[in-house]
Amino acid sequence: MQNGLINTGEPRNIMGHIVSGAVASAVVSGTINYKKAKEKKLSSNEAIQDTVKKTAQGAIATGTAIATANHIGQQGGFLKALTALSVGMAGIYAVEVIDDKLNSKYEQLEDSCCDENFLEEGINE
């Protein structure tokens, strides 16, 4: 083991922790969203979408945390740690932006399909 900024122990397997993070996030968000769907606070589709989003973000966050800790534990790994942290933050932000874009497109489709004028035009034809 190399002497780094902080003794973080032996380097850990990042891919294994990404999978662990995904499973943990799916369990937590899935359970919470199941409860919300059961109480009619969310639709089933919204619960599934939120669970998938949070599972992806949890996987990214866990992989980022392990990679960052591995680099902090290495001599001269501070810049690598900051890079790993930045990449992870960008990944989580990207998932959030993609989710927003998909929701916006879905709402636009919903609005155009359910527009009263659109429905009236179809009836009058």
Side-chain angles (χ1 to χ4, degrees):
M1 179 170 58
Q2 299 173 346
N3 293 333
L5 186 61
I6 298 172
N7 182 358
T8 58
E10 291 297 317
R12 280 129 353 235
N13 178 299
I14 295 169
M15 185 54 87
H17 287 286
I18 289 172
V19 173
S20 297
V23 171
S25 298
V27 168
V28 172
S29 62
T31 303
I32 291 168
N33 285 324
Y34 173 76
K35 180 180 180 286
K36 287 180 180 179
K38 193 173 175 185
E39 294 172 347
K40 306 285 187 212
K41 294 179 180 177
L42 284 177
S43 71
S44 295
N45 284 341
E46 290 170 325
I48 291 167
Q49 286 176 328
D50 189 63
T51 300
V52 169
K53 178 178 92 169
K54 289 192 172 127
T55 297
Q57 289 175 324
I60 294 167
T62 305
T64 298
I66 297 306
T68 302
N70 283 347
H71 292 307
I72 288 172
Q74 297 172 355
Q75 185 70 33
F78 187 69
L79 185 58
K80 289 179 183 178
L82 286 177
T83 302
L85 192 63
S86 298
V87 169
M89 290 171 69
I92 291 171
Y93 182 78
V95 170
E96 196 68 29
V97 168
I98 290 167
D99 183 59
D100 287 346
K101 296 272 185 199
L102 289 174
N103 285 337
S104 145
K105 293 284 184 191
Y106 181 74
E107 288 170 6
Q108 287 175 357
L109 283 173
E110 216 173 44
D111 290 344
S112 68
C113 288
C114 300
D115 186 20
E116 287 182 30
N117 294 331
F118 180 77
L119 291 175
E120 288 176 13
E121 287 174 14
I123 293 171
N124 293 333
E125 290 180 356

